[in-house]
Structure formats: structure tokens, C-alpha cells
Amino acid sequence: MIDFVWLVPLFPLIGFLIIGLGRNILPKAVAGFIGSLTVLLSFAVSIAIFVQLESSAVKTHIVPLFDWIRAGNLLVPFSFQVDPLSALMLLIVTGIGFLIHVYSTGYMHHDAGFSKFFSYLNLFIFFMLLLVLGSNYIVMFIGWEGVGLCSYLLIGFWYTNSAYASAAKKAFIMNRIGDLGFLIGVFLIFATFGSLEFAQVFPQAANLAPNNPFLILITILLFIGATGKSAQIPLFTWLPDAMAGPTPVSALIHAATMVTAGIYMIARSNILFTLAPLTLEIVAIIGIATALLAATIAVTQTDIKKVLAYSTVSQLGYMFLALGVGAYTGAMFHVLTHAFFKALLFLGAGSVIHAMSNEQDMRAMGGLKKKLPITFITMLIGTIAISGIPPFSGFFSKDEILAHTYQHSKTLWVLGVIGAMFTAFYMFRMLFLTFYNKFRGTHEQEHHLHESPKSMTIPLIVLAALSVVGGFIGIPHILGGHHWLSQFLAPVFYQSSVRTGALTLDHQTEFLLMGVSVAGAVIAALIAFVKYSKNNHVPLADNVDRGTLARLSYHKYYIDEIYDFAISKPLNFLSGFFYRVVDKAAIDGVVQGLGRATTEASKGLRLLQSGNIGFYIFMMVAGIVALLLYGFYNI
Amino acid sequence: MDVIITISLLAILVLYLGLFKAAKALLPVTLVGLLVALGLTFNHWDLANNTKSIFSGMLLFNNFSVAFSALAIISTFLILMLSKDYFERISANVAEYYTIILFALTGIIIIASYHNLSMLFIGIEIMSVSLYILTGIKKRDYASNEAALKYFLMGAFSTGFLLFGITLLYGASGSFDLTEIRNYVASSEEISPIFYAGILLSIIGLCFKAGAAPFHFWTPDVYEGAPTLITAFMSTVVKTAVFAAFLRLFYISLSSVTLQEFWVPVLVVLASLSLLIGNITAVYQQHFKRMLAYSSISHVGYLLFALIALSSASDSAVFLYAAAYTIASIIAFAALMVVQKQVGNDSFDNFNGLGRKNPLLALTLTISMLSLAGIPLTAGFIGKFMMFTGALSTYHTALTVFAVLNAIVGVFYYLRVVVAMYFKDAERNELAVPVYFKIVLVVSTLATIIIGVYPGFIADLI
């Protein structure tokens, strides 16, 4: 089946073409069915590939399709690489993608752009699959850009709202900044290694000594690309705004799949990063800083999707922390479990929003437990999972990351635990504000409250089940497991693990670390319970004066404003200057001057054609004489 | 050889058909005859490319002449398809029209396959005399008469130079045969000055026929005065034939290094002048047909590149460029005829709003203009690309830069008609485009794009 891996991206592409071309003819039911079916087919193929790879002795398969670019010594084949890493990503993308497609058939049912929505969604899946399947940086880059495009299209899906359209542009532009870094990194890889194929670059890189300046530069550039796509400092501000898109989009693109592309890319290039410890240090610091920054913003947000968005940024920070301390498996583990519970939480939030007639402010919710029982229970599971409380999935992946962090640096570990406590706090805050106490919305909203249809609740239930059991694929030895995921991914990270070595903590320390982080999470959850459930505290209205810290957090540390002042304004000024002075006056002057000069020359030359045959022959003879003179002197 | 006989007999047959008032049969018979001739042409196709000359070395049919003859016949075929209902409107002597065009074609095929300078001269004369008549065939039209007279006067003048050149070449080498002349150049210690003079005079004669500056003065006036169909014939088939002749003479006989050092600078100057005058003057023209006339001068400039960078690749470069230029021009002239018929004149304003009313016509004309301007994915781009590659590989960097700058100027005036068609609105009725025209337009456009996307199949022909 591995040889037929091209089927996996082909199905969504076909779906995109059918739905996209027939968007005005196809009934909604058909468009939704085709959209979901194509992804389901891809998922089925992905499972077959996974099973075959699991039992196969050879763990890396290159499946060439055709030679795409052949120029000089640059040869870029369009080929796919199937190995444990891409096989895992295939399952995440198509599996969760399928659930979200099904969910969307219910969620988007009343939307006029239903077919358009599904065509974009299928296109996104196609590009995401290219990204994870490409066997070289160029194919990966196509996917990388393609998912960015789809993200843009879907954030601005309701483009008649100009704020949403701006959010889409913001996401696209911020991503472009990162993409530039990625692209230059790719050029540099070609310049250094003479190839862009993973299978040729990585073995060469493995022979280099650590701290090679080129490697450091390449990895920093790649990391800049990752900060754009995966919303890290300083390029993270687009992700909260991206919540303008329909909620299934937030779940699929801005939580489960696309935003983890940066982590995937670094995990894929792990050997390059392992040999550049300086870059890894930067990655770890940026990761933990982002995790804390986003977590502290999330604690005061009142928009249910904004809370989840900052939570996503924060969890992505944890993944980068994991990469930074060399815990590549831990990072991919967290990608997987996060995909389960964050998709679940977003879809649950979507179910709430759906029931609340598009109300997203938690101050207007409350007491939804009875009205939306399935949504409540599944979101409760998601909240426990993300808070890192055992035995739910988030516990295992977060524990693995923190254990590696502890071994790497105790300070980072302390910060990590603090971040985890924040996580538990704001998540339970969200849960209590939404589902407990009395309903605070309008009477009309209360009248409309209803549990979502089956197409929406079934994906919730499936994802909840995965959030519960998903962590069991990575039970550490200390808890009596043998960490299947780590063994499965071992071939991908082999070169790195040889250099970094395994976890060397003794059992006592490991138990202690687990105990501390679980206790922290439980305490944070209890505080949230006391404050928002028992004491029935409701966040203040927008215009009420807050304390300094709360204000900073509520206004997201004014980072957007700072960017606007420090970057956008000067750029706009510079742009205005170039437009008025350099372009309009200088360049246009020269260009138009040349045009006018040509026209004038034309006016003059035209007169030669007088219509007088005597003059013609005179000119000819002049030419002939000139030629003969030339001949005379040059024989 | 059988091609020449077939077309000559066809011409006489058509003349008789005219005599017996079988006006309806004229076009079909001509077209069928041309198809037969085309088939016969390929008889001489030889993959090994080692055909012997015939008639005591007078003619040599090899792949080169087959390719150019076929191009000439196909172009004539397309142009004649545009003539349905056209001749009847402008002249009473329809049969003579077809006959004379066929005679001109006979001359052209001789030009494409000569191996003896006397045959070159005979071919050029058969072609030229036919063209003089065709130009003036609107007997009652002063512009047509004036154009014919001018063409004849200047043509006669330049033919003298060509003949004199041939004579001098003969005087120095003692032979009209191309191979013999080459042997003379290779064997003699010092080449006679007479021979050099002969080269210069032949260049003058051929450049006049091709319309290279400064021997181009006849082209704008004659192209404008002649019936549009004849203009199309002159600016495509005739030019191609002259370049085939040019290439054959210079490649077979005059390609030794010493000789090249002598005549390459001359052609560089003539090519630059043609580019400059053709392009710059075309900018200010307000009429489509006159613009095409000037632009044809600039295309001669580009074609001369193949001679300047003379090599074994030159023949396929000329062939491809000529094919691209010919089919694009045929589209342009076809569109011109449609517009002219309806509106009566061909100023650019008369193309306004054509994009909305006649989408097919506008689209094909746009592709033709893009091809003439040398935009990628059209045949014209490939042609220019081959010309420039050749020039660069022989280190004519300055000339190439100059040509590229000229090509930019070209884009301006070619796109003018596109702008008029799509971006300017005008109250107008849909033009009636006859079926024959549609066929020619579509076929030529497809050919333009196919050559542009996949040039290999035509460039490797020769």
C-alpha cells in the first residue's frame, strides 16, 4: 500500500475539484458527503500504510512520482517519503480531518457558502498532506504555502465582515514573514548540501561537527519559519485573531494540524537542530516564553474561542520547549494528544456557540450543563486532558516534556510547571463560566438553547474517547509501560538520540516530578472552582477599570499596539515616501520619459517615408555606397 | 522537381478554368492541387539527409528545401482560404489572380531548392514579376497602381544589383554552382576582390527582397497599397523564401572564417538598422496594416541574426522563426481583412470593443500579437529565443541587448491593438467572420501555441 501513498492526497484534491467546480450546482448534502468521503478514503489508505509500515523492516520508503524541477545541478523530484513520522501525521491529519468534516456538515448547515467551505477544507487537507509527505523541502514548502493559503481563505470565510477580512490578511502577512525565513533556510540548505532531499541532506549533516556556523544559521532560519506557522513569539499575534474563521476551521487548522507544521518541520530536520545546540537553546527559551505569555493572557479572556486560541499558542510553546530540550518524541507525542483534546475543545466550544445563537462571550453563558449534556461531558474530558491530570492523554505527553526539561534545566522546568498550573486554571475557569451556575444570556438565547445534532456530537464523543485513551501509546517505563510511540518513532530520531542520550533520571525523581505537576494542576483547578463556581465570580465588563496586571493580561500586553507603533507605522511612512518620491517622481518619470522619447523618435523617423520614389532610391544608393566603401577598405 | 511541375500545371489548369467561366471551381481546385503538391514535397524527405542534386546540380532537394517548400505551400494554402469571396469583390480577373499566386509559389519553391545561382535568379524573377502584377491587380485603384509601379521600379533597380553580384561571384570563381564556389573559396590562396564585391552586391539584392533597412523603403508603401491578401502573401511566404535563399548561399558557399569576418559586420549593421527603423517607426503608426508593415521590417532584423550567428543550427532557427512569424501574421491579416471589410479602414480605433463582440477573433488576434511580440508560451517566443541564443553563443552580446530593447518597443505597439480590443469600449456590431476565416484563425492559433509549448517537434525537423 505504501507505493500507493499518492492516493492519500489525491482523494481530497479530487474532492476539492468536484465541490469547487460544482459549488453552485451540488446540493449541500452531496457536497458535505463528498467532502467527508474523500477524507475518509484518505484515512483508510493511511491506516493501511500505517499497518504495513509497522510490520515492515524497512522504515523509510521514498515514493517518487515524477522529476519536477531539473535545472543545472538542481534536481527536485516530486516524491513522497513514508516513514513513522509522516505515517503518524497522516493519521492525525486525515483522522481528525474526517471527524471535523463530519462535524462541519452539521455546524455549517445554515451557511450559504456551504459548498465553498467544504472545497476549501478539502484543499487544506490536500496541502497539509503534501506538507507531511514531501520527501524534500520544496514539496514540503508547497504544502507549507498551500495550507497558509487555505488558512487565509478560511479565516476570511465570512469576508463581508471587514474585521474578519483583516484577520485573514494579518494571518497571511505574519506567515509570510516566517516563510521568508524558511525559504532562505531552504536556499542555504541547498547551498550547503547541494540537495534538498531529506534522504541526502540529513546523512551529510550527520557527518558535520556540532556548532557548524552554517547549521546554526540554517536552523535559526527554519525556526523563524516555524514561529510564523506555529504562532510563537514574536509572530504569534495572528492566531488569536484567526478565530474569526468558522469554529471547525479553528479546530482543524488552528489547533490540530496546520499550526503544528512548524513542530513537524523541526522534528523532521531533527539532526540539523541537534547539531546546533545554540539554536535549540533559543527554541526552548522562545517556547517556554510563549507558553507563559499566552497562558497569562488566557486567564482573563472572556471570549470562549480566544481562551482556546491562547491556550493553543501556549501548548505550542510547550511543544517547542520539548524540541528545544531535545525531546523530539515528546514534542510529537504532545502534537498528537493536543490534536485530540484541542480539536475536541474547539468543537465543543463550537457546539456551545451553535446553541447560543453565535454568542461567544462567556459572560453571557453559564449553566449550560443541563442543556448541553454531551457537550459538557466531552468538554470536561478535554479540560482534564489538557490540564495534565492522569490518566488522560495530556498527562503523559506533558509529563514527558517536563521530565526532559528537568533534565535539561531546572529553571525551565519550574517555569513549565507554572505554565501548566495556569493552563489548568484558565481551562477550568472556562468550563465553570460556561457550564455552571445560572444562565446569564438573554431570554431569547435561553429559549433557543439545544444540544447539537448527531453529526456534531458524534465527533465530540470520538475525540473525547481519544483524549482519554490517547496517552496510552506512550506510557513511560516507570509506570510499567514500554512507550510504544517512542519505539515507533525511534528510526526517525536515531541520529539525534545517539547524540543526546536517553532520559537518565532515577525513578524517585521522576515520580516526584509527576507528583508536583499533577498537584499543581489540581490546585489550580480547585482555585478556579472556588472562584468561578462556588463564589460565582463573573469577569468584569470591558469598560470597568481593572488592576494593572489584569489589565495588561486582558489587553494582551498591548502587543498588537506595540507592533502597530513600532513596525506598521514606520513601514507605512516609508512606503508612502517610496510611493510618492521614488516611484511616482523618479521611476515613473524615467519610464514615461523613455516612452515619450521613443514616440518622438518615431515621429521623426516616420518622415523618412515620404512616398517620393526618387528619395527612396537616393537613400538606397547612399546605403549601397556606404557598403561598397566598407568593402573597399576591408578587403 | 515534381512539386514545381505540379504547381505550374495547376496554375495553367486554373487559368483554363477561368476561361471556361468555372469560377466556383477555382478555389477548390487550387486548394486540392496545393495539397497534392504538399504530399509530393514530402517525397523528397530523407531522414539520412544525403539527397543528391538533380539536373546537373541546378536544384537540390534536401530536408532543408522540403521544410521551406512545405512551409510556403501551407502558408499559401491558408492565405488562399482567406480569399473566398475576396477576389470577386476587388477585381474581375479572378482566375488570373490564383494563377499568378501559383506562379509566384513556383518561383518560391525554386528559391528554396536552388543549387545554382542562375536558378536563384530565375526563381527570384518568377516570384518578383508575379508580385508586381499582384500588387497592381486592382486596376482601377490608384493606390494599388502606385504601389505596383513603385515596387516594380525599385525591384528592377535592386534585381540589377543581385544579378551583378551573381556575375561577379561567377567572374571570380568561374562557376554558378554553390559547391564549386565553396571549393573556390577553400582552394584559392587569395580571394579576388571581385568576389568580395559580389558578396556585397548579393547582400544588397537579397536584403531588398527581404525588406531589410536601408533597402526597406518600398515595404510600407507597397504593403499598404497592395490588396491585403497580397500583402499577407508578400510579408510571409515571400520573406521566408528569401531567407531560405540567403541561408543556402551563405551557409554552403560563403561560410569560411575569412569571409565571415568580412560580411558579418555588414549584416550586423543592417540587422540593427532594420530593428531600429522597423520598431521605432511602428510606434507612431495609427493604422494596423502600416504597423504590420513596419513590424515586418523589424522581423527581418531578427531573422538576420541566424546569418550573423551562422552555424548548423541556423536553418532550424530561421525555419522556426519564419514559421512562427508567418502563422502569427496570417492571423493578423485575417483579422485585418474582417475589420476592413466591415468598417472600411483599419485605424486602431476600429478595433475598440472587439473583445466583447467577437471573442474568438479578439482572442486569436491577441495570441497572434503576443507571438509577434515574443511572449512565452507562443511560437514567437521560441523563435526569438533561438535567435538570441545563437547570437549570444557567437558573442554578439551588444547586438542581442539592442535587439531585446527593440523587442520591448515591439511589445508596445503589438499590445496596442489588444488594448483597443479589450479595454476600450465602442458601440459596434458583431463582425461577420466567415467559416473559412474561422478555420484559418483557429488552426493558426493552435499551431502558435503548440509550437510555443512544445517546439521540439518542429525545430528538429530539419
Side-chain angles (χ1 to χ4, degrees):
Chain A
M1 206 62 203
I2 288 174
D3 291 336
F4 293 97
V5 65
W6 45 269
L7 284 173
V8 182
L10 183 68
F11 288 128
L13 181 65
I14 292 173
F16 160 69
L17 291 175
I18 295 176
I19 305 172
L21 293 175
R23 66 186 180 284
N24 295 329
I25 325 164
L26 292 178
K28 281 184 179 178
V30 176
F33 178 75
I34 294 175
S36 309
L37 178 71
T38 54
V39 184
L40 181 64
L41 289 173
S42 296
F43 182 54
V45 179
S46 302
I47 290 180
I49 288 171
F50 177 81
V51 170
Q52 192 187 344
L53 189 73
E54 170 78 274
S55 58
S56 150
V58 185
K59 290 297 182 191
T60 303
H61 301 260
I62 307 283
V63 183
L65 292 188
F66 52 89
D67 279 356
W68 184 36
I69 302 174
R70 195 190 273 279
N73 57 350
L74 172 66
L75 171 66
V76 180
F78 201 98
S79 57
F80 293 148
Q81 174 162 342
V82 180
D83 65 357
L85 186 58
S86 54
L88 182 70
M89 289 302 286
L90 282 189
L91 289 180
I92 298 178
V93 173
T94 54
I96 295 186
F98 170 65
L99 291 175
I100 292 176
H101 272 74
V102 173
Y103 179 92
S104 305
T105 56
Y107 189 83
M108 297 299 286
H109 198 260
H110 301 295
D111 199 281
F114 187 85
S115 298
K116 191 174 75 168
F117 181 80
F118 272 89
S119 67
Y120 288 167
L121 226 46
N122 265 351
L123 185 67
F124 167 78
I125 298 277
F126 165 72
F127 278 124
M128 191 68 207
L129 291 169
L130 281 195
L131 194 161
V132 299
L133 275 175
S135 77
N136 55 52
Y137 282 101
I138 296 293
V139 177
M140 185 196 248
F141 187 68
I142 301 172
W144 185 274
E145 289 296 296
V147 291
L149 168 74
C150 295
S151 160
Y152 164 80
L153 290 172
L154 286 163
I155 294 170
F157 186 73
W158 290 310
Y159 53 85
T160 46
N161 180 328
S162 72
Y164 291 3
S166 304
K169 280 190 275 183
K170 183 174 177 183
F172 200 69
I173 292 166
M174 285 245 162
N175 267 295
R176 299 301 302 166
I177 300 173
D179 293 350
L180 182 66
F182 184 37
L183 203 55
I184 299 175
V186 170
F187 293 156
L188 211 54
I189 289 174
F190 182 71
T192 313
F193 300 106
S195 171
L196 291 168
E197 283 287 305
F198 298 145
Q200 286 171 24
V201 172
F202 298 152
Q204 281 189 55
N207 292 328
L208 295 177
N211 280 321
N212 181 308
F214 281 104
L215 273 184
I216 291 179
L217 196 55
I218 287 171
T219 48
I220 287 181
L221 287 164
L222 291 183
F223 177 57
I224 291 174
T227 58
K229 189 101 340 193
S230 297
Q232 297 295 293
I233 293 173
L235 298 177
F236 70 97
T237 56
W238 66 269
L239 185 56
D241 288 13
M243 296 303 126
T247 308
V249 171
S250 310
L252 177 63
I253 302 184
H254 303 119
T257 54
M258 184 190 84
V259 288
T260 61
I263 291 116
Y264 166 78
M265 187 259 286
I266 292 183
R268 172 60 78 201
S269 323
N270 61 81
I271 183 63
L272 305 182
F273 283 80
T274 303
L275 292 173
L278 176 68
T279 317
L280 279 186
E281 210 57 44
I282 296 174
V283 172
I285 291 168
I286 295 270
I288 189 69
T290 312
L292 285 174
L293 185 84
T296 53
I297 294 176
V299 293
T300 59
Q301 296 306 308
T302 53
D303 181 321
I304 187 169
K305 284 183 74 182
K306 281 276 158 74
V307 175
L308 290 172
Y310 280 105
S311 160
T312 306
V313 175
S314 174
Q315 296 301 309
L316 291 168
Y318 275 103
M319 297 172 205
F320 278 98
L321 175 66
L323 295 171
V325 300
Y328 297 111
T329 310
M332 289 314 295
F333 193 10
H334 205 52
V335 165
L336 177 74
T337 57
H338 178 256
F340 294 151
F341 57 66
K342 190 49 72 62
L344 164 63
L345 288 167
F346 263 116
L347 295 186
S351 173
V352 170
I353 296 166
H354 194 66
M356 292 284 298
S357 319
N358 293 328
E359 176 63 72
Q360 300 194 11
D361 194 330
M362 293 189 295
R363 285 172 297 200
M365 297 176 183
L368 299 181
K369 197 165 71 169
K370 296 256 161 47
K371 303 277 189 181
L372 306 171
I374 301 176
T375 308
F376 167 66
I377 292 171
T378 51
M379 277 190 88
L380 177 66
I381 292 170
T383 306
I384 298 175
I386 193 176
S387 300
I389 295 170
F392 288 27
S393 60
F395 164 73
F396 295 99
S397 53
K398 200 174 274 183
D399 175 64
E400 185 172 346
I401 294 175
L402 287 175
H404 279 88
T405 311
Y406 181 81
Q407 182 172 332
H408 185 79
S409 150
K410 310 238 170 352
T411 322
L412 285 180
W413 177 77
V414 172
L415 295 172
V417 172
I418 294 174
M421 290 175 69
F422 270 105
T423 309
F425 176 76
Y426 65 69
M427 286 311 301
F428 277 99
R429 170 179 176 267
M430 184 199 87
L431 194 76
F432 292 133
L433 279 176
T434 311
F435 290 103
Y436 282 76
N437 297 325
K438 289 240 155 53
F439 186 72
R440 296 182 293 271
T442 62
H443 185 70
E444 202 174 334
Q445 283 173 330
E446 187 166 16
H447 183 68
H448 277 121
L449 282 179
H450 61 286
E451 180 60 285
S452 301
K454 283 220 170 57
S455 59
M456 288 165 69
T457 51
I458 289 174
L460 285 177
I461 294 167
V462 175
L463 284 169
L466 288 170
S467 300
V468 176
V469 303
F472 297 152
I473 60 168
I475 300 174
H477 298 284
I478 170 179
L479 293 179
H482 46 332
H483 211 314
W484 172 85
L485 185 69
S486 153
Q487 291 173 6
F488 181 63
L489 289 176
V492 181
F493 301 129
Y494 173 72
Q495 288 288 353
S496 294
S497 58
V498 169
R499 287 168 177 76
T500 51
L503 203 57
T504 53
L505 300 174
D506 58 46
H507 282 195
Q508 226 173 341
T509 325
E510 258 190 85
F511 274 123
L512 194 66
L513 296 180
M514 275 183 203
V516 170
S517 62
V518 172
V522 172
I523 290 168
L526 283 176
I527 297 174
F529 172 71
V530 172
K531 187 168 180 187
Y532 294 102
S533 178
K534 203 143 171 272
N535 294 348
N536 199 5
H537 181 85
V538 178
L540 302 170
D542 285 344
N543 47 7
V544 177
D545 196 30
R546 293 172 158 80
T548 314
L549 279 178
R551 191 167 62 231
L552 270 180
S553 164
Y554 189 70
H555 291 287
K556 304 140 195 170
Y557 297 104
Y558 297 99
I559 289 175
D560 277 325
E561 286 77 6
I562 295 170
Y563 281 180
D564 188 48
F565 177 76
I567 299 171
S568 305
K569 289 254 164 65
L571 264 181
N572 275 330
F573 174 77
L574 205 63
S575 158
F577 169 77
F578 275 110
Y579 172 69
R580 280 189 304 275
V581 179
V582 179
D583 189 52
K584 276 285 163 196
I587 296 178
D588 280 9
V590 171
V591 171
Q592 289 179 357
L594 279 175
R596 263 195 293 277
T598 312
T599 316
E600 287 304 314
S602 180
K603 264 189 215 168
L605 270 181
R606 182 176 70 98
L607 298 179
L608 280 181
Q609 203 70 36
S610 60
N612 182 336
I613 201 158
F615 176 73
Y616 291 171
I617 290 184
F618 170 75
M619 290 299 288
M620 274 175 66
V621 170
I624 293 164
V625 169
L627 283 190
L628 289 178
L629 282 177
Y630 162 84
F632 186 70
Y633 287 107
N634 276 281
I635 294 173
Chain B
M1 189 61 213
D2 28 10
V3 187
I4 298 174
I5 296 170
T6 312
I7 297 182
S8 311
L9 286 179
L10 180 63
I12 294 166
L13 175 66
V14 170
L15 202 56
Y16 271 98
L17 284 177
L19 201 60
F20 294 114
K21 309 278 180 217
K24 280 216 162 34
L26 288 175
L27 185 61
V29 168
T30 315
L31 292 182
V32 170
L34 282 179
L35 283 180
V36 172
L38 185 64
L40 290 173
T41 314
F42 286 108
N43 252 350
H44 295 284
W45 190 258
D46 181 12
L47 289 174
N49 208 359
N50 52 6
T51 325
K52 289 196 191 71
S53 56
I54 48 174
F55 287 99
S56 319
M58 289 306 225
L59 293 173
L60 172 72
F61 283 98
N62 59 2
N63 289 354
F64 175 90
S65 39
V66 171
F68 278 97
S69 307
L71 180 60
I73 294 172
I74 293 170
S75 316
T76 311
F77 186 89
L78 289 173
I79 291 172
L80 285 180
M81 277 182 73
L82 301 179
S83 66
K84 189 156 163 49
D85 303 333
Y86 181 78
F87 291 142
E88 290 87 339
R89 275 193 291 121
I90 61 169
S91 165
N93 312 322
V94 187
E96 288 81 349
Y97 229 137
Y98 287 109
T99 308
I100 297 171
I101 285 190
L102 288 174
F103 279 140
L105 185 59
T106 315
I108 283 162
I109 288 173
I110 295 174
I111 293 173
S113 44
Y114 76 98
H115 196 254
N116 187 299
L117 289 179
S118 57
M119 288 311 286
L120 169 66
F121 184 73
I122 290 171
I124 284 204
E125 277 309 281
I126 295 176
M127 178 185 85
S128 297
V129 172
S130 313
L131 289 177
Y132 302 149
I133 302 169
L134 286 170
T135 308
I137 204 146
K138 283 185 182 173
K139 275 195 295 192
R140 314 252 172 253
D141 184 275
Y142 284 122
S144 177
N145 290 346
E146 184 191 334
L149 194 63
K150 274 183 181 168
Y151 191 21
F152 173 68
L153 279 174
M154 298 179 74
F157 184 67
S158 73
T159 306
F161 283 96
L162 179 63
L163 189 56
F164 195 20
I166 291 174
T167 316
L168 291 181
L169 290 178
Y170 175 79
S173 65
S175 172
F176 286 125
D177 188 88
L178 293 181
T179 320
E180 290 296 319
I181 296 175
R182 180 181 59 201
N183 292 341
Y184 161 75
V185 173
S187 61
S188 52
E189 303 247 310
E190 196 177 343
I191 300 165
S192 156
I194 293 179
F195 193 78
Y196 285 105
I199 294 176
L200 280 181
L201 293 175
S202 327
I203 288 178
I204 292 165
L206 288 170
C207 278
F208 175 89
K209 296 291 175 195
F215 313 111
H216 68 283
F217 285 100
W218 60 276
T219 37
D221 291 8
V222 172
Y223 281 15
E224 194 172 21
T228 306
L229 200 69
I230 303 306
T231 312
F233 187 73
M234 281 196 284
S235 74
T236 57
V237 188
V238 171
K239 263 195 187 28
T240 308
V242 173
F243 266 92
F246 226 137
L247 197 59
R248 200 162 233 205
L249 173 61
F250 280 69
Y251 186 60
I252 297 182
S253 306
L254 308 176
S255 59
S256 85
V257 180
T258 24
L259 288 182
Q260 281 206 37
E261 277 170 11
F262 174 73
W263 56 257
V264 165
V266 175
L267 290 187
V268 169
V269 172
L270 294 183
S272 312
L273 266 181
S274 306
L275 287 173
L276 187 72
I277 292 178
N279 280 310
I280 298 286
T281 319
V283 168
Y284 202 72
Q285 300 307 317
Q286 304 301 327
H287 290 264
F288 190 58
K289 195 173 174 186
R290 211 159 164 90
M291 182 278 278
L292 285 177
Y294 282 107
S295 94
S296 81
I297 298 170
S298 75
H299 284 288
V300 172
Y302 294 119
L303 277 161
L304 282 173
F305 273 54
L307 287 158
I308 291 166
L310 194 65
S311 75
S312 56
S314 293
D315 44 7
S316 57
V318 168
F319 181 66
L320 207 138
Y321 197 101
Y325 166 73
T326 302
I327 47 182
S329 298
I330 287 175
I331 300 173
F333 280 108
L336 171 65
M337 284 164 71
V338 173
V339 172
Q340 238 176 0
K341 183 180 173 189
Q342 191 115 349
V343 190
N345 94 46
D346 63 318
S347 109
F348 281 121
D349 292 338
N350 290 329
F351 289 83
N352 289 357
L354 206 61
R356 188 155 306 155
K357 284 293 177 191
N358 288 63
L360 176 76
L361 186 68
L363 178 71
T364 50
L365 184 55
T366 303
I367 290 169
S368 135
M369 288 297 119
L370 293 178
S371 181
L372 287 174
I375 306 291
L377 294 187
T378 60
F381 168 75
I382 304 294
K384 279 207 176 60
F385 178 77
M386 290 180 79
M387 289 300 173
F388 292 166
T389 331
L392 283 178
S393 67
T394 48
Y395 303 102
H396 287 97
T397 318
L399 179 66
T400 313
V401 171
F402 183 72
V404 171
L405 290 178
N406 271 287
I408 297 172
V409 177
V411 174
F412 170 77
Y413 57 77
Y414 286 127
L415 289 192
R416 240 173 109 170
V417 64
V418 178
V419 170
M421 287 191 301
Y422 286 102
F423 299 108
K424 294 188 179 163
D425 252 339
E427 283 295 313
R428 71 179 310 145
N429 298 322
E430 190 183 336
L431 299 181
V433 184
V435 183
Y436 277 66
F437 275 66
K438 279 189 182 149
I439 296 172
V440 173
L441 288 172
V442 170
V443 168
S444 308
T445 307
L446 285 180
T448 301
I449 290 172
I450 291 171
I451 299 174
V453 175
Y454 182 54
F457 86 98
I458 180 160
D460 299 339
L461 269 184
I462 304 180

